[in-house]
Amino acid sequence: QGLSVFEVDGACSKEYCQRLCLLAKLFLHHKTLYHQVEPFRFYVLTKLGDGGGHHLVGYFSKEKESPKSYNVSCILVLPSYMRQGYGRLLIDLSYHLSQREGKVGSPERPLSDLGLVTYRAYWKSIILSHLGVLKASASGVPGGSLPVSINIKALSQQTSILMADLISTMQWLGILKYWRGNHIVLLNSTHSTKQPGNAARKATRTTTCIDEKALQWSPPEADEK
């Protein structure tokens, strides 16, 4: 689809990264940092235009060293490219980078209202995808409620999503229950990722996701060593 992602070091391309931050400030009212870009790396998503050249779609920034394990500091998709799946694509990339680093990550707080909606949708899809595999292999009455056993710590390590984010999303979905002294996940037909109401909306959105095999990236710290 003519999409590319470029990694830009704030210390090496200071002026360019400052301009990215100033651009984000036009659309993100809580955006305050735009001078000190040296501690950050920027991952810039572009799309080839009809006449050639890379057109900016959006970007996210990430601290080189985050004491709180944030894997996204600021994320922006330009208004002309919103609601086309590019925000999810950038989020998916941030977690793939965390996986390559062998870390568990989370976006920097506080999240904007739109940011929370986008992240919850992403976390929900990841959770339901993993639970769908478990549900398919379990026995039970078709269409009925079925307890599904899941190791949240293992899921966190596998997806690089912070355990607190997984738990809060499960609670938001209403699938995390306390039963007979244990926490269980109660999944039923209403929690399917193939809900009829979503089909039409999804058909109009970009379904691009990160291909792990095609991702040519290694942690910068590893390259320096």
Side-chain angles (χ1 to χ4, degrees):
Q1 300 183 20
L3 297 175
S4 302
V5 178
F6 298 90
E7 180 184 67
V8 185
D9 191 325
C12 299
S13 303
K14 183 176 179 179
E15 185 176 350
Y16 175 79
C17 294
Q18 286 177 335
R19 291 181 178 181
L20 278 179
C21 292
L22 287 170
L23 178 63
K25 194 172 176 64
L26 295 175
F27 308 106
L28 304 175
H29 300 299
H30 64 280
K31 178 70 175 176
T32 57
L33 179 66
Y34 57 89
H35 286 301
Q36 299 177 341
V37 296
E38 294 88 344
F40 298 88
R41 290 188 178 90
F42 294 75
Y43 296 86
V44 183
L45 176 65
T46 66
K47 186 175 185 179
L48 285 177
D50 295 335
H54 293 271
H55 293 215
L56 177 65
V57 173
Y59 81 93
F60 73 85
S61 59
K62 176 180 179 179
E63 282 187 283
K64 296 175 183 177
E65 295 292 338
S66 175
K68 295 185 179 181
S69 298
Y70 291 142
N71 61 2
V72 168
S73 295
C74 177
I75 185 169
L76 170 74
V77 174
L78 294 180
S80 57
Y81 292 104
M82 283 185 174
R83 304 188 68 82
Q84 298 180 48
Y86 294 119
R88 176 190 169 85
L89 178 62
L90 288 171
I91 292 173
D92 195 35
L93 174 61
S94 72
Y95 281 109
H96 274 79
L97 299 187
S98 292
Q99 290 176 0
R100 290 284 180 92
E101 293 173 320
K103 298 178 181 179
V104 172
S106 184
E108 185 174 325
R109 271 37 175 208
L111 288 171
S112 65
D113 293 340
L114 180 59
L116 180 59
V117 169
T118 306
Y119 266 96
R120 270 185 174 169
Y122 178 79
W123 293 330
K124 171 187 173 181
S125 67
I126 296 298
I127 291 170
L128 293 183
S129 175
H130 282 74
L131 290 178
V133 175
L134 294 175
K135 183 180 179 182
S137 62
S139 60
V141 179
S145 296
L146 179 69
V148 178
S149 176
I150 183 172
N151 187 320
I152 297 179
K153 183 177 181 180
L155 179 58
S156 174
Q157 294 174 341
Q158 183 178 355
T159 62
S160 288
I161 299 175
L162 193 69
M163 285 181 59
D165 293 332
L166 292 172
I167 293 172
S168 66
T169 303
M170 290 180 182
Q171 292 173 335
W172 172 69
L173 288 170
I175 62 176
L176 191 62
K177 305 293 183 180
Y178 191 75
W179 184 66
R180 293 186 178 180
N182 295 301
H183 285 92
I184 64 169
V185 172
L186 196 62
L187 191 67
N188 55 45
S189 58
T190 64
H191 297 123
S192 171
T193 56
K194 298 181 179 179
Q195 297 180 36
N198 291 336
R201 291 195 299 272
K202 287 185 177 181
T204 62
R205 296 190 183 184
T206 300
T207 56
T208 306
C209 58
I210 300 299
D211 184 352
E212 176 66 28
K213 296 179 180 179
L215 182 59
Q216 299 179 8
W217 184 88
S218 59
E221 293 79 6
D223 292 339
E224 291 171 2
K225 292 179 181 179

